[in-house]
Amino acid sequence: MNPLVNQSEKTDASVIEHFLASGEMLPSQLPSPSNWTPEKKLAAAVLTSALVELRDRHADAAYQRRIREDLDWVFSEEVHWPYSFIRLCQLFGLEPEYVRNVVNRWMRSPAPRVYRQCSAHRHAA
């Protein structure tokens, strides 16, 4: 785990780092700690949505424009926009280079055989 400043950031970062390490978590499965503000929940959704799309759709020709946009966002050094990649990493106590390395590994991996369902809603059986 990355060195973090305080316990609150450590908890926040652990949620997203688990996703980055395992690759098995969907945005709908990410816990939203009750102490998170609506803005922080939105920030988590923005970050994980882009990461899930990169992880699951990077080799899908139908998603290439969106993948390029996601990659441009992840590798941007922009810090003025509140929802820039760098600012969201700071918010969750993540090292941008760590996340970028994970994304690079995903980009080099073969396409998943089955795409994960990325619905934010659970369906009854």
Side-chain angles (χ1 to χ4, degrees), residues 21-35:
S22 70
E24 294 303 319
M25 192 175 282
L26 300 174
S28 61
Q29 296 170 316
L30 282 172
S32 289
S34 60
N35 64 333

Side-chain angles (χ1 to χ4, degrees), residues 2 4 13 16-17 20 47 89-90 92-96 98-99:
N2 298 319
L4 303 172
I16 296 174
E17 284 200 24
L20 292 168
L47 181 60
C89 285
Q90 290 170 345
F92 291 103
L94 299 167
E95 291 294 328
Y98 166 78
V99 180

Side-chain angles (χ1 to χ4, degrees), residues 3 10 15 17 23 37-38 60 64 71 76 80 98 110-112:
K10 184 176 283 191
V15 169
E17 284 200 24
T37 64
D60 187 334
Q64 288 310 297
L71 287 171
S76 170
H80 295 95
Y98 166 78

Side-chain angles (χ1 to χ4, degrees), residues 7-124:
Q7 189 62 35
S8 173
E9 285 182 354
K10 184 176 283 191
T11 302
D12 295 350
S14 67
V15 169
I16 296 174
E17 284 200 24
H18 173 77
F19 162 74
L20 292 168
S22 70
E24 294 303 319
M25 192 175 282
L26 300 174
S28 61
Q29 296 170 316
L30 282 172
S32 289
S34 60
N35 64 333
W36 283 8
T37 64
E39 293 81 8
K40 192 163 193 172
K41 290 177 183 180
L42 176 61
V46 168
L47 181 60
T48 57
S49 176
L51 294 175
V52 165
E53 191 163 70
L54 287 167
R55 180 195 68 193
D56 293 350
R57 304 290 185 178
H58 67 274
D60 187 334
Y63 284 79
Q64 288 310 297
R65 183 183 60 79
R66 288 172 46 181
I67 296 302
R68 178 83 258 141
E69 290 171 357
D70 289 342
L71 287 171
D72 288 346
W73 178 73
V74 166
F75 288 95
S76 170
E77 294 298 326
E78 168 65 46
V79 293
H80 295 95
W81 184 54
Y83 288 92
S84 68
F85 176 75
I86 300 287
R87 297 272 303 264
L88 295 187
C89 285
Q90 290 170 345
L91 177 65
F92 291 103
L94 299 167
E95 291 294 328
E97 288 309 311
Y98 166 78
V99 180
R100 289 170 175 162
N101 287 335
V102 171
V103 168
N104 276 327
R105 279 196 315 272
W106 291 340
M107 294 304 103
R108 291 189 306 269
S109 69
R113 291 179 195 256
V114 177
Y115 293 115
R116 295 172 178 98
Q117 176 65 35
C118 292
S119 172
H121 306 286
R122 298 191 186 260
H123 302 282

